[in-house]
Every structure is written in structure tokens, then in C-alpha cells.
Amino acid sequence: MTGTGELVRLGRRTAKGVAGYDLAALLVGSEGTLGVITEVTVRLRPTRAPERTVAGYFDSIVDAGRAVDAVAAAGITPSALELIDRQCLLAVDAWKDMGLSVDANVVLLGRIDTPGSLGDDEAATMRTAFDKSGASWSAQSSDQAEADALFAARRLAYPALERLGPVLTEDICVPIRAVPEMLSRIESIATQWDTRIANIAHAGDGNLHPLLIAPHDDDAARQRAQAAFDDIIDAALNLGGTVSGEHGIGLLKMGGLVKELPPAVLDMPHNIKRALDPTNILNPGKVFSRTI
Amino acid sequence: MTGTGELVRLGRRTAKGVAGYDLAALLVGSEGTLGVITEVTVRLRPTRAPERTVAGYFDSIVDAGRAVDAVAAAGITPSALELIDRQCLLAVDAWKDMGLSVDANVVLLGRIDTPGSLGDDEAATMRTAFDKSGASWSAQSSDQAEADALFAARRLAYPALERLGPVLTEDICVPIRAVPEMLSRIESIATQWDTRIANIAHAGDGNLHPLLIAPHDDDAARQRAQAAFDDIIDAALNLGGTVSGEHGIGLLKMGGLVKELPPAVLDMPHNIKRALDPTNILNPGKVFSRTI
């Protein structure tokens, strides 16, 4: 539904198509500012081949970041490469007692969906990358139940942390080469602002989710957490990254968006917004801090 | 370079990113109407695994279309699935004497880049799909030189046809299920308008390139070819397809674009164009037949 009340269908039913501008791509991620999406049709793909899981334990988060860079440098594109840090492991254990924090400070979970012996080779290469980057332990899981349990711990990390207090969720994304440096800067920022920062990450994409615990009942701590949040954004931009890898801008990252995009680039979405929603009725006041 | 003379850099250097609208996606395929693209940075991917080539010969082009549908229905996503019809084979042989037209009326060339034994299975499944759809001959090429020669014939088809006269190149794309029906309709249209139409196709994508020979020196024949061209567009739209799978709109398909997109959808790119190029200096008069 457009800003002028027209019901339109965008996108295409064909595998390829270049008839005019890619309006579906423009609407995806526009956060309701260019139209109200009332119906979505998705393309189905064949089921993936069974995946291999490789786990690595690390003493330091920067070593785990180096392993992520080493995997990318080896030319492998994992179907998943997730990072869970000590704060998250402790929170999961405090809630579900999975015993992970006994053995590991930081866990990397990699998945390879390349089929056949090439997939075996890639899994072995990933494990080597983990070991060479200082893993204290690594293994390719031969047991699907075990592999699923590790990924379950990953999924539990966020709700486990929320039990500890209000969480300010970051969503930065940096070039993969910059992952170790970014993780190191997050550690420094946590120390500098005396703020508890846990990390979960879609590390293989360079998409990091530092989670800042900002207690309700402590105004000074909340302000320090906000300062740390802003510093993390500055560090990500400084390393060639973005303020949002997947969550979007909303209200929380409106300031970050202005830092990321130069004024001439910001003019373009502003002008598009004005063209497609002339009366500014579509999610007004979000994404763009400047008045449309 | 924008319509207001600003030099901007769009896109992102990170694997993921959702900071504002996807302006790079909007500019890609905008055919110079939203900005002048002065520099492009592309992402590199690892080299693909070696591919398997499966060739099939068919007596009728509609059977070859059925084979394309059968491959998709089997859940396979080939890295290439190309069709070359009798007119093209004759033209290539007339030029390069490759001897293809002796054995085949229509050739399908499939490639599978799935590695390992799964790739072997998919190549075998593709060959079975060819056979069940009425292939007069099929084989998985064990010889890379032979496979490359077949694809060379595919690449020669267009210049070979151009030797026969001016070619009006179609670029329709239909849902894969509709490929056999579309090929059948093209045959009927050729007969109806007494126009020589050759077919090459990225058939696995449903992207067909009917090539209409429109002789310079025969006005009546040129007019019939134009009528056939328009009928092919109508048939593609009727089957849920698009007027352009990959070539774009330019001048040739401006009428087709208006047929494909309803007025409310056409309003959107018009308004975007006006917003980003207020003085209409960027490739004016192309893509959109309506005055901006």
C-alpha cells in the first residue's frame, strides 16, 4: 500500500527480470517509511544438503575473531559461523546449566553446507583455521544432537542475558578482516565505560551484536552504557563498517545513520521518501532524523 | 554522480548492511536514468568447483522446453541450462561448420556446479529429465574440451544469426513452468507472421531470446517481424512473465513496460525519477514513455 493509498504488487514471479527499477528491493528494509507491506510471497529453494558442524573453544575473544578472519582468508563461505562469548556462556549456564562455561571462554560454531568430500575438506580447513588462531579445543561434531545443542546454546544467549537486566542491543557489521580489531575495541570500550558488554555474533558475516547491560535502577550506569553504545558505533564506522547489519535504523540508530551516510547520500532517501509519501504518513519520524 | 551533480558512493563494504534504503539496488538496472555510474566495486567469490556438462538433443523445441521444466521440478538448480534451436545450429554450421545441425534439431546444454557425489547425482537426474522429456540423444560429457566446444557453439549463435540479416532481439522471461508453452507460442507466432524466428535461451532461468530476422530491404517483412515481436511480448505477459529478463527497457521495450506494470506501480519509478533527477538530465526519454 503506497503513501497515496494505492494497492500495488511489486517484484516478479520470474527467475530474472529488469523491467524498470527494482522497487521490491527498495521497499525491503525501508521500515514502513515507503509503504505498508500487506502481503509477501517468497521464493522456495531446495532443501540444503546435511551440514557439518565445527566447534572451537578460545581463551580470548580476539583469538576467536582471528579465527573468523582466517576462515574467510581460506576462501571458505560457511553457512553459519557464530560466536558466543564468556558473558553469554555464563548467563546460559546460570539459566539452563549446560556446563559450557566450565570448558570455554569463547565458543565459535561453524557450519558448512557444501556437499560431498569438498564439504569435508572445508570443514577440516575451518578446524585448522580455528587451531592456528589459538583454539584451546576444536572438533568436528559427528553427532547431530550434540551440534544442535551447541546451536541451541547460541539461541538461548539473548534471552539468558535479558534475565540479567535491560539489554541495549548493538547490530554493527564490519568487513570480516576487521572482526578481531572490532572485538578488541569492544573490550576496551567496556573497560573504559565500566559497562558489562556480552557478545554474540554472526561472526562469519562480520555482524556483531554487543549486548550492553543497562540496569533500570542505576542512572549513571545507564548513561555509561549509552556512551559505550555510541563509542561502539564510532569504532565500527572507523573500521569501514555499518551501524546496522540486519536490524535496521528505527529510532535507536537514527543518529548513527547520519554519521554513516554523507549528506549528499542522505539527500537521496529523503527525496525518495518525499516522492513516494508526499504527506509523510508512513512511519513518520523513524529512520531519518531530519524532517522530511 | 546524481542528477544534482553530487558524487556519491552507494552500497557497502560489509557482508550485510541495512542502513537506510538499498540505493545501490535501486541504481543497478536504472539504465542511467537516476545517476551516472562512474565506478563499480564488485565482491569476489571463491572459484567454483569444476562443473559437469550434460547435453541433450531434441527433435522438437517444445520437448526441450519440457525438459527444462522437468529439471526444475526435480529440485535441481543448474549453474547453466542453455537452449539452442535448429535455426541457430544451421547458422553456426553455415559459418563454422561444426556439424551440430546434422544430429540435432534443438540442443540443451546443462551445467551442474554442485561438488562431489551430490553433483554426480544431480547430473544423472538432469540427464534422466532430458530422456523422459523425449531427448533423441543425451550424454554427460566426460571431456572438458568437448563440453567447451558445445558452449562455444552457444556463444556463436548470435553472431552467426546476425550474418543472415538484422536481428530483432527479444529478452522475455517467463516462470519456468511456462517455458514449454512459451516456446510453443513463439513457434505459432513465427508461422502466423511468416517471420523467421530463431531461439537461444538461458532456458533454466525461463529467460528466452527469440531472435527475429528482419531483412533491411523488405518493408513488409520488417513490419511482420515487428508484429511478431509485439505478440511475443503479449504472450510472455499473458504467461506471468516479463518483457525483459536481463537486457533492460531502453527505447525498444518502453511500450512493453507500460503493458507490464499497472499505472499505480509506474507512478512509483516516475516519482523517484523526478525526485532524484529534478531537471531530467539523466538519460531523458528512455525507459519511461510517459513524460517525467
Side-chain angles (χ1 to χ4, degrees):
Chain A
M1 178 87 74
T2 69
T4 51
E6 300 279 353
L7 196 61
V8 296
R9 185 174 292 276
L10 307 177
R12 52 189 159 79
R13 302 182 74 84
T14 48
K16 294 157 67 177
V18 291
Y21 304 156
D22 191 348
L23 298 171
L26 182 66
L27 266 284
V28 169
S30 64
E31 304 184 33
T33 61
L34 296 181
V36 177
I37 295 171
T38 59
E39 192 181 304
V40 174
T41 305
V42 296
R43 185 182 306 272
L44 298 181
R45 289 182 173 277
T47 315
R48 287 191 295 185
E51 294 172 299
R52 295 155 193 75
T53 299
V54 179
Y57 292 175
F58 296 82
D59 290 334
S60 104
I61 195 167
V62 176
D63 283 350
R66 275 194 209 106
V68 170
D69 181 27
V71 168
I76 296 173
T77 307
S79 50
L81 183 49
E82 299 288 311
L83 178 147
I84 315 160
D85 82 348
R86 177 144 199 86
Q87 304 270 359
C88 293
L89 296 173
L90 287 169
V92 169
D93 278 345
W95 186 25
K96 298 286 184 183
D97 197 18
M98 293 178 76
L100 289 164
S101 60
V102 178
D103 297 319
N105 272 325
V106 183
V107 174
L108 272 187
L109 292 177
R111 275 195 165 158
I112 298 285
D113 66 354
T114 308
S117 62
L118 186 59
D120 293 334
D121 293 348
E122 290 185 2
T125 303
M126 183 185 279
R127 194 178 159 196
T128 303
F130 286 7
D131 291 343
K132 284 195 175 166
S133 306
S136 56
W137 175 86
S138 73
Q140 180 177 342
S141 179
S142 53
D143 177 355
Q144 191 59 38
E146 180 190 74
D148 289 345
L150 286 167
F151 274 90
R154 159 69 185 80
R155 276 189 291 273
L156 287 170
Y158 190 82
L161 275 170
E162 280 194 309
R163 296 174 71 243
L164 307 181
V167 173
L168 212 53
T169 303
E170 275 284 11
D171 173 42
I172 53 168
C173 192
V174 295
I176 293 163
R177 294 240 52 172
V179 167
E181 175 64 19
M182 187 66 223
L183 290 168
S184 168
R185 293 196 189 182
I186 293 168
E187 280 197 320
S188 303
I189 290 167
T191 305
Q192 184 192 337
W193 292 105
D194 187 20
T195 292
R196 189 164 170 185
I197 305 182
N199 282 283
I200 48 178
H202 313 298
D205 295 322
N207 186 196
L208 314 182
H209 294 308
L211 305 171
L212 297 82
I213 312 291
H216 269 313
D217 49 1
D218 185 341
D219 273 354
R222 285 177 61 86
Q223 283 169 23
R224 291 199 307 277
Q226 187 59 52
F229 186 91
D230 293 340
D231 277 6
I232 290 172
I233 285 179
D234 289 345
L237 294 175
N238 184 251
L239 291 170
T242 174
V243 298
S244 183
E246 60 184 17
H247 294 176
I249 301 302
L251 289 169
L252 192 64
K253 296 287 180 74
M254 285 194 339
L257 186 69
V258 174
K259 286 184 187 173
E260 180 168 340
L261 301 181
V265 173
L266 272 174
D267 281 347
M268 297 175 71
H270 281 205
N271 291 338
I272 292 169
K273 164 75 169 158
R274 205 181 290 118
L276 296 187
D277 180 22
T279 55
N280 197 28
I281 56 171
L282 294 168
N283 213 3
K286 304 285 170 57
V287 184
F288 304 107
S289 51
R290 204 195 303 175
T291 306
I292 296 292
Chain B
M1 179 86 75
T2 69
T4 51
E6 300 279 353
L7 197 60
V8 296
R9 185 175 292 276
L10 307 177
R12 53 189 159 77
R13 301 182 74 84
T14 48
K16 294 156 67 177
V18 290
Y21 306 156
D22 191 349
L23 298 170
L26 182 67
L27 267 284
V28 170
S30 64
E31 304 183 33
T33 61
L34 296 181
V36 178
I37 296 171
T38 59
E39 190 181 307
V40 174
T41 306
V42 296
R43 186 183 304 275
L44 298 180
R45 289 181 174 278
T47 315
R48 287 191 296 184
E51 294 174 298
R52 294 154 194 76
T53 299
V54 179
Y57 291 176
F58 295 84
D59 290 333
S60 104
I61 194 167
V62 177
D63 283 350
R66 276 194 208 106
V68 169
D69 181 27
V71 168
I76 297 173
T77 308
S79 49
L81 183 50
E82 300 287 311
L83 179 147
I84 314 160
D85 82 348
R86 176 142 201 88
Q87 304 270 359
C88 294
L89 295 174
L90 286 169
V92 170
D93 278 345
W95 187 23
K96 298 288 181 181
D97 197 19
M98 294 179 75
L100 289 163
S101 59
V102 178
D103 297 317
N105 272 324
V106 183
V107 174
L108 272 187
L109 292 177
R111 274 195 166 158
I112 299 285
D113 65 354
T114 307
S117 62
L118 186 59
D120 294 333
D121 293 347
E122 289 184 2
T125 302
M126 184 185 276
R127 195 178 159 195
T128 303
F130 286 8
D131 292 343
K132 284 194 174 165
S133 307
S136 57
W137 176 85
S138 74
Q140 179 177 342
S141 179
S142 53
D143 177 356
Q144 191 60 39
E146 179 190 76
D148 290 344
L150 286 167
F151 274 91
R154 160 67 185 83
R155 276 188 292 273
L156 288 170
Y158 191 81
L161 274 169
E162 281 194 308
R163 296 174 70 244
L164 306 182
V167 173
L168 211 52
T169 303
E170 274 284 10
D171 173 42
I172 54 167
C173 192
V174 295
I176 294 164
R177 295 239 52 173
V179 166
E181 175 63 20
M182 187 66 223
L183 289 168
S184 167
R185 293 196 190 183
I186 293 168
E187 280 198 320
S188 303
I189 290 166
T191 306
Q192 183 192 338
W193 292 107
D194 187 21
T195 292
R196 188 164 170 185
I197 305 181
N199 282 283
I200 48 177
H202 314 298
D205 294 324
N207 186 195
L208 313 182
H209 293 308
L211 306 171
L212 297 83
I213 312 292
H216 270 312
D217 49 1
D218 184 340
D219 273 353
R222 286 177 61 86
Q223 282 169 23
R224 290 199 309 275
Q226 185 60 51
F229 186 90
D230 293 341
D231 277 6
I232 290 171
I233 285 180
D234 289 346
L237 294 175
N238 184 252
L239 291 170
T242 174
V243 298
S244 182
E246 60 185 17
H247 294 177
I249 301 302
L251 289 169
L252 191 64
K253 295 288 181 77
M254 286 196 338
L257 186 69
V258 174
K259 286 183 188 173
E260 179 168 342
L261 301 181
V265 173
L266 272 175
D267 281 346
M268 297 175 70
H270 281 208
N271 291 338
I272 292 168
K273 165 76 167 156
R274 205 181 291 119
L276 296 187
D277 179 24
T279 55
N280 196 27
I281 57 171
L282 294 169
N283 212 3
K286 304 284 171 59
V287 184
F288 304 107
S289 51
R290 206 196 300 177
T291 307
I292 296 291

